[in-house]
Amino acid sequence: MKRDIPSAYDPHEVEEKLYAWWETRKFFHAEVEPEKRPFCIVMPPPNVTGELHMGHALNNTLQDVLIRWRRMQGYNTLWVPGTDHAGIATQARVEEHLAQEGLSKYDVGREEFLRRTWEWKHKYGTRITRQLRRLGASCDWDRERFTMDEGCSEAVREVFVRLYERGLIYRGYYIVNWCPRCRTTISDIEVEHEETPGQLYYIRYPLQDREGYVVIATTRPETMLGDTAVAVNPEDERYRHLVGLTAVLPLVGRELPIIADAYVDPAFGTGALKVTPAHDPNDFEIGMRHNLPQVKVIGPDGRMTEEAGRYQGLDRCACRKEVVRDLEAQGYLVKIEEHRHAVGHCYRCHTAIEPMLSRQWFVRMQPLAAPAIKAVEDGRIRFVPERFTRIYLNWLYNIRDWCISRQLWWGHRIPVWYCLRCEAEIVAREEPRVCPKCGNPELEQDPDVLDTWFSSALWPFSTLGWPAATQELRHFYPTSVLVTGRDIIFFWVARMIFAALEFMQEVPFRDVFIHGLVLDALGRKMSKSLGNGVDPLEVIDRYGADSLRFMLVTGNTPGNDQRFHFEKLEGARNFCNKLWNASRFVLMNLDGYRPDGETGGMTLGDRWILSRYEDTLVRVTENLEAYDLGEAARALYEFVWDEFCDWYVELAKPRLYRGTPAERATAQHVLVTVLRGTLELLHPFMPFITEAIWQHLPHAGETITLAPWPASVPARRDLEAEAAMNLVMEVTRAVRHIRSEMNIPPSSRAAVLLVCPDTASRAVLERWGDYIETLALAELQVFSELAAEPRQAAHAVAGGVEIYVPLAGLINTERETARLARQLAEVEKDLARVEAKLANPGFLTKAPPEVVAKEQEKRDELAHKRAALNERLRVLNEVAGG
């Protein structure tokens, strides 16, 4: 076996070659193995024409950690990858492409437009899956799915027909969220509400056939052209005498009944409400209760309709200005007030949403929501962290019917046909040839497509073969866990749950592992408009996939957002280099190593590192079980860097270089055991570097990907060895600190006196003092007590041990005293400046509290540094004085 590895780790030389090998050897492919326990994740499908962003990188890294871990544990592991057709986003991209040719979708027609969209999908649709490979995602690419592939399309039609037959899908007029730019409806949860400055317009509505008027307040005077009533609260004494009378709509002359409805808030505006049933969801409900007509004055293009009279053809914003001008000219405008309010915007193009009366297809949600609520309340589905349970339930408790039709061409076309003779509505799984009622062959399919989330809701079972009863569906369903961002609990998670319970009579997954967003260094959401996005592919090119993955995981706590810092990325890359260099050292010192060879007795260091490894193994496994992946990664980081590399590797060197054959064999055995096991624990987090090193170590099997997860051996835990080694390390650190503080030359061996009254601790220091001598370049003497405190010596206390380092002859006291005096002068100068600032009343009253706190912290640090420098100067003066 080739033992030598390059002197430096270069991810570019490793990552793509390894991934190609993994994929060629089908290490990620899963066949149904009934005798094994299944573990299955379906990937939240990214948009087919999208590109990998930091949210994808985090989400798929977390999934891959879980998948690789369970695969190593011996589960029958399946990770189903796939992409979403992303109706609005993909259609918009193709329409932009057409616009560059001077064409619109109407110019080319539906069939040609769809041909071009499929062409676009085939050209760009593999980009994001190639990028996921760069990240190291260990998906079963043989099972890749697409929300509009043949199987998923069949599942969508089957679900639509069954829901329709159950009376849970219906067509009706309702107020929908309409985007005039995208020219389609969007669901309630796709509307982003933004606090926006606006105005509140107070308008007089004259009473008919009598003196007087009622004043209403509105933020949208252009919609008054569609008013069909004025409403007041029945308990409002100010207006009770007006109920039953008629007002006249200014500018239009339409008669408006004055009605009483409990919805009206007496505290808002004047307490009198203009009712526009065709352009406000609450007004629509009032209109239904009072049988009001619906007058649609704004069209799908955001322009005023024929019903708007002389304002027809104006853009809605331009119409507002015209209406306000005319109201003022005719004496109807009372006043205008500044008013901040939440305005809904399209989540795709950020255009202000137009509530609009439209005939659409809906899913009746109440009957579907009830089982989805129960599944979470009774614990069949668990949210991690648990606090997201309440968010999910609150949404379902108050759910409205789901508008599922979209006025697009790209997507699952609604499987409904209309007879042009008898107007029958035909819902079918396959395209009918004739009308089943009258036999007419002239049928026209509904032009709309289904909401993208309709097909995504079926993802956990459609990807496993449903509606066919496949062996994959029987074995891998329900899936094990859904890993997803907190921002799509409503969009996707809830819909998957109610769809699965309706069609599979079983939950879609056992656990929902929620992660937060990746924000920029200032805590802002990454976005194109802010220009603060970080491209994961650029990061991988510069730092390697393992560094990115490890940085994302160590910064993660379930459900919480995290900030992206390049400094943390540098730290992850440094960790890779540290691991590589330590591994290279081990490999360079395995000459003569025999896995089954005889070894000598274990040293304290051997027992300690094996005990720490056992503890780390248990903690990593427990944290993975609890979905605390960040804590698992941090435990590994601390073990590798702080214990294995910084201490044990150094302790092993004397035996590797100068030990007896048995001592060398023992050190080799422990190094290989701990390093190989640690690489296997690290593999789910950092798959590339761990495979690259593992292949050079003695091992069984073809790849670390399929290596067994390290088994816990409780007998390895040795708390006595850990306590003894902790004492040795504390004393070593203290001696090193004295050497650094007193500027003792690195090549000079220092005499060190240790005073330890505790018998057990003194025995440890006497037995294992050679560790301290090696690691701190010291010559030890250990005492139970000293008759007198040594003079001319630096002093410290660690672990109950008094430490003295005589300085005479070790340092140039004159030069060191001058150096420290210069440092002390600088510190006193800085301290005086900070104290002056903190003594200034103007600073204390005007500066923000966090700025004052920072200055106070700086003062305390400088005072501590001054005391330390004075103590070191005292010792030096003592040495110089003899």
Side-chain angles (χ1 to χ4, degrees):
M1 181 181 291
K2 187 180 177 184
R3 295 273 186 244
D4 60 313
I5 59 175
S7 57
Y9 176 61
D10 182 359
H12 302 100
E13 288 294 313
V14 170
E15 292 182 351
E16 293 198 46
K17 290 177 186 174
L18 274 180
Y19 198 95
W21 176 62
W22 287 335
E23 194 170 355
T24 301
R25 295 290 297 120
K26 294 190 179 296
F27 294 142
F28 310 149
H29 179 63
E31 292 293 341
V32 172
E33 298 179 70
E35 72 283 0
K36 284 188 176 182
R37 186 176 176 185
F39 184 84
C40 179
I41 296 179
V42 291
M43 175 188 290
N47 289 357
V48 69
T49 57
E51 294 185 62
L52 197 72
H53 57 62
M54 273 301 162
H56 291 132
L58 171 63
N59 178 263
N60 286 282
T61 294
L62 297 176
Q63 290 178 81
D64 196 41
V65 169
L66 295 173
I67 282 288
R68 288 180 181 271
W69 166 54
R70 291 300 195 191
R71 188 183 288 123
M72 293 175 77
Q73 284 192 319
Y75 284 71
N76 191 187
T77 306
L78 172 61
W79 186 11
V80 181
T83 49
D84 191 287
H85 65 277
I88 294 177
T90 305
Q91 177 154 327
R93 296 290 289 276
V94 178
E95 288 195 60
E96 287 169 12
H97 195 65
L98 280 173
Q100 292 170 10
E101 301 177 37
L103 298 171
S104 73
K105 64 178 183 179
Y106 303 107
D107 294 325
V108 299
R110 185 167 193 146
E111 189 175 334
E112 172 61 14
F113 181 82
L114 289 175
R115 187 195 67 77
R116 288 186 181 224
T117 311
W118 277 107
E119 191 177 83
W120 182 275
K121 183 264 179 189
H122 293 313
K123 185 175 181 180
Y124 295 103
T126 58
R127 177 170 53 189
I128 197 158
T129 55
R130 288 197 305 271
Q131 292 171 341
L132 286 168
R133 287 171 167 88
R134 291 286 310 279
L135 187 67
S138 61
C139 313
D140 187 346
W141 294 108
D142 293 341
R143 297 183 183 274
E144 184 179 351
R145 301 300 301 270
F146 175 52
T147 51
M148 281 177 62
D149 66 27
E150 190 176 337
C152 288
S153 296
E154 182 188 354
V156 165
R157 290 192 302 273
E158 183 68 29
V159 165
F160 188 97
V161 173
R162 288 198 200 179
L163 289 175
Y164 181 86
E165 290 172 347
R166 277 200 60 198
L168 295 177
I169 281 184
Y170 66 93
R171 194 178 186 214
Y173 284 99
Y174 203 75
I175 291 289
V176 296
N177 304 300
W178 182 266
C179 175
R181 185 174 176 186
C182 295
R183 296 287 188 93
T184 186
T185 55
I186 63 173
S187 67
D188 291 343
I189 52 178
E190 292 169 317
V191 177
E192 294 179 346
H193 293 278
E194 300 173 13
E195 196 70 21
T196 307
Q199 286 82 37
L200 198 56
Y201 301 86
Y202 289 78
I203 305 166
R204 289 189 184 96
Y205 282 40
L207 299 176
Q208 187 181 52
D209 300 330
R210 66 178 61 202
E211 291 294 317
Y213 52 83
V214 59
V215 177
I216 63 91
T218 179
T219 59
R220 300 197 61 198
E222 70 278 12
T223 63
M224 67 177 287
L225 304 172
D227 287 359
T228 56
V230 172
V232 297
N233 192 290
E235 304 301 319
D236 194 333
E237 294 286 348
R238 295 172 296 172
Y239 299 116
R240 190 173 288 179
H241 67 289
L242 296 180
V243 175
L245 299 182
T246 302
V248 178
L249 180 61
L251 308 183
V252 176
R254 184 182 302 130
E255 294 181 3
L256 306 177
I258 300 175
I259 60 174
D261 194 281
Y263 167 77
V264 181
D265 180 2
F268 179 77
T270 65
L273 177 75
K274 60 184 280 302
V275 182
T276 319
H279 293 285
D280 182 278
N282 298 309
D283 291 6
F284 175 82
E285 298 290 350
I286 293 173
M288 294 296 286
R289 287 194 289 272
H290 297 271
N291 198 28
L292 298 175
Q294 299 159 342
V295 180
K296 190 172 176 180
V297 294
I298 301 175
D301 57 358
R303 294 185 176 277
M304 308 309 288
T305 68
E306 186 179 356
E307 294 279 8
R310 71 180 194 82
Y311 303 99
Q312 180 182 359
L314 285 177
D315 172 79
R316 54 186 173 158
C317 298
C319 180
R320 177 179 301 181
K321 293 177 182 176
E322 289 286 316
V323 165
V324 170
R325 191 189 67 187
D326 291 347
L327 287 170
E328 187 171 23
Q330 296 179 36
Y332 294 114
L333 186 64
V334 178
K335 62 177 178 175
I336 303 174
E337 291 180 348
E338 295 302 311
H339 176 69
R340 290 188 67 84
H341 60 136
V343 177
H345 289 75
C346 174
Y347 80 112
R348 282 289 175 196
C349 69
H350 304 293
T351 301
I353 287 301
E354 187 59 56
M356 189 173 292
L357 185 67
S358 178
R359 195 174 189 198
Q360 301 287 342
W361 287 96
F362 295 87
V363 174
R364 210 178 301 278
M365 288 303 305
Q366 287 295 343
L368 295 169
I373 291 169
K374 190 171 187 299
V376 171
E377 287 181 335
D378 65 17
R380 281 176 289 154
I381 294 175
R382 176 177 67 128
F383 279 82
V384 180
E386 196 274 334
R387 68 178 184 272
F388 288 99
T389 305
R390 182 54 48 197
I391 295 170
Y392 164 89
L393 290 173
N394 284 343
W395 185 69
L396 283 179
Y397 291 151
N398 302 290
I399 199 164
R400 291 173 54 185
D401 285 357
W402 174 19
C403 177
I404 56 171
S405 45
R406 298 289 181 270
Q407 287 64 52
L408 301 170
W409 287 355
W410 173 246
H412 293 280
R413 195 163 176 181
I414 291 175
V416 177
W417 288 261
Y418 306 105
C419 177
L420 298 182
R421 181 190 294 166
C422 71
E423 299 183 352
E425 188 177 271
I426 307 152
V427 177
R429 293 168 177 82
E430 302 295 335
E431 183 173 0
R433 294 183 178 181
V434 297
C435 173
K437 288 190 176 180
C438 71
N440 177 37
E442 292 179 288
L443 306 177
E444 190 175 84
Q445 188 173 0
D446 194 301
D448 291 350
V449 300
L450 290 164
D451 180 5
T452 297
W453 297 103
F454 191 93
S455 52
S456 301
L458 319 182
W459 196 242
F461 51 93
S462 66
T463 53
L464 296 174
W466 190 92
T470 64
Q471 59 175 349
E472 286 84 359
L473 194 62
R474 285 192 295 270
H475 184 62
F476 288 111
Y477 189 90
T479 64
S480 307
V481 58
L482 174 74
V483 182
T484 189
R486 59 176 171 78
D487 51 336
I488 57 172
I489 292 174
F490 312 138
F491 282 107
W492 193 41
V493 178
R495 288 166 175 168
M496 282 191 288
I497 293 172
F498 73 65
L501 291 168
E502 174 68 18
F503 296 101
M504 296 295 297
Q505 289 74 53
E506 176 62 282
V507 296
F509 26 72
R510 303 298 185 192
D511 294 334
V512 181
F513 174 27
I514 302 288
H515 60 77
L517 306 177
V518 182
L519 308 175
D520 72 4
L522 300 176
R524 301 173 302 176
K525 191 173 179 179
M526 292 186 182
S527 69
K528 287 182 180 177
S529 59
L530 289 174
N532 63 343
V534 179
D535 183 349
L537 273 298
E538 290 181 7
V539 171
I540 290 172
D541 287 339
R542 186 174 168 191
Y543 295 90
D546 285 334
S547 296
L548 174 61
R549 290 168 60 111
F550 202 70
M551 182 275 289
L552 289 170
V553 175
T554 50
N556 181 261
T557 52
N560 295 326
D561 295 340
Q562 64 187 86
R563 297 189 181 192
F564 183 95
H565 293 281
F566 277 98
E567 297 83 357
K568 292 181 181 177
L569 203 52
E570 295 279 358
R573 181 168 65 180
N574 292 342
F575 180 64
C576 286
N577 292 334
K578 184 90 166 178
L579 177 65
W580 184 266
N581 291 335
S583 302
R584 185 167 180 266
F585 167 80
V586 173
L587 291 167
M588 289 169 63
N589 286 279
L590 290 187
D591 289 345
Y593 171 75
R594 291 174 53 201
D596 54 351
E598 289 189 17
T599 59
M602 292 276 183
T603 64
L604 171 64
D606 297 332
R607 290 161 50 211
W608 167 74
I609 197 65
L610 287 168
S611 181
R612 297 304 307 134
Y613 166 71
E614 174 66 22
D615 178 61
T616 302
L617 187 165
V618 170
R619 284 193 294 135
V620 168
T621 306
E622 287 176 349
N623 281 312
L624 287 172
E625 293 281 2
Y627 295 109
D628 199 345
L629 279 59
E631 199 54 44
R634 285 187 286 276
L636 280 165
Y637 177 94
E638 290 166 5
F639 173 73
V640 171
W641 193 295
D642 298 340
E643 297 177 328
F644 183 70
C645 294
D646 281 0
W647 290 95
Y648 185 73
V649 167
E650 297 303 314
L651 291 176
K653 285 178 180 178
R655 284 182 294 164
L656 292 173
Y657 298 157
R658 300 180 297 276
T660 66
E663 288 173 338
R664 178 178 167 83
T666 302
Q668 287 176 328
H669 170 75
V670 174
L671 283 167
V672 169
T673 299
V674 174
L675 178 58
R676 184 174 56 220
T678 302
L679 290 172
E680 289 161 357
L681 293 176
L682 268 171
H683 177 69
F685 304 92
M686 310 174 82
F688 294 107
I689 192 171
T690 52
E691 180 79 273
I693 298 168
W694 188 87
Q695 288 294 335
H696 291 84
L697 278 171
H699 64 263
E702 189 176 358
T703 172
I704 193 173
T705 301
L706 302 179
W709 185 251
S712 172
V713 181
R716 278 193 299 232
R717 198 72 203 276
D718 190 333
L719 298 181
E720 184 181 322
E722 289 192 31
M725 191 63 199
N726 284 340
L727 176 64
V728 168
M729 291 190 295
E730 278 191 67
V731 172
T732 302
R733 288 190 197 100
V735 175
R736 284 173 168 173
H737 181 71
I738 290 173
R739 292 186 66 105
S740 171
E741 289 289 296
M742 304 310 297
N743 212 22
I744 298 172
S747 58
S748 299
R749 187 171 289 277
V752 176
L753 312 180
L754 303 181
V755 182
C756 181
D758 181 75
T759 305
S761 296
R762 191 166 66 252
V764 169
L765 295 172
E766 288 170 344
R767 172 66 184 85
W768 301 108
D770 59 321
Y771 285 178
I772 303 170
E773 292 183 332
T774 299
L775 298 173
L777 201 61
E779 290 181 355
L780 291 190
Q781 289 180 277
V782 182
F783 304 92
S784 60
E785 59 181 343
L786 288 176
E789 184 177 309
R791 299 185 70 252
Q792 305 174 19
H795 172 255
V797 178
V801 178
E802 298 264 5
I803 302 164
Y804 297 93
V805 179
L807 298 174
L810 270 181
I811 56 176
N812 184 322
T813 54
E814 186 177 339
R815 189 168 61 207
E816 189 61 17
T817 299
R819 184 180 72 84
L820 293 178
R822 287 194 299 273
Q823 280 189 23
L824 181 61
E826 284 294 319
V827 167
E828 287 182 329
K829 180 180 173 184
D830 292 343
L831 183 57
R833 187 171 62 249
V834 173
E835 286 178 334
K837 187 183 285 188
L838 289 170
N840 182 347
F843 171 75
L844 294 175
T845 54
K846 293 177 182 176
E850 62 271 18
V851 172
V852 175
K854 195 171 184 181
E855 290 298 314
Q856 290 170 336
E857 191 178 312
K858 193 185 296 183
R859 176 195 60 195
D860 296 344
E861 287 177 5
L862 288 167
H864 178 75
K865 191 178 287 188
R866 180 177 64 179
L869 286 167
N870 278 322
E871 173 60 21
R872 283 152 66 188
L873 281 166
R874 183 194 68 76
V875 173
L876 285 174
N877 289 332
E878 193 177 85
V879 173

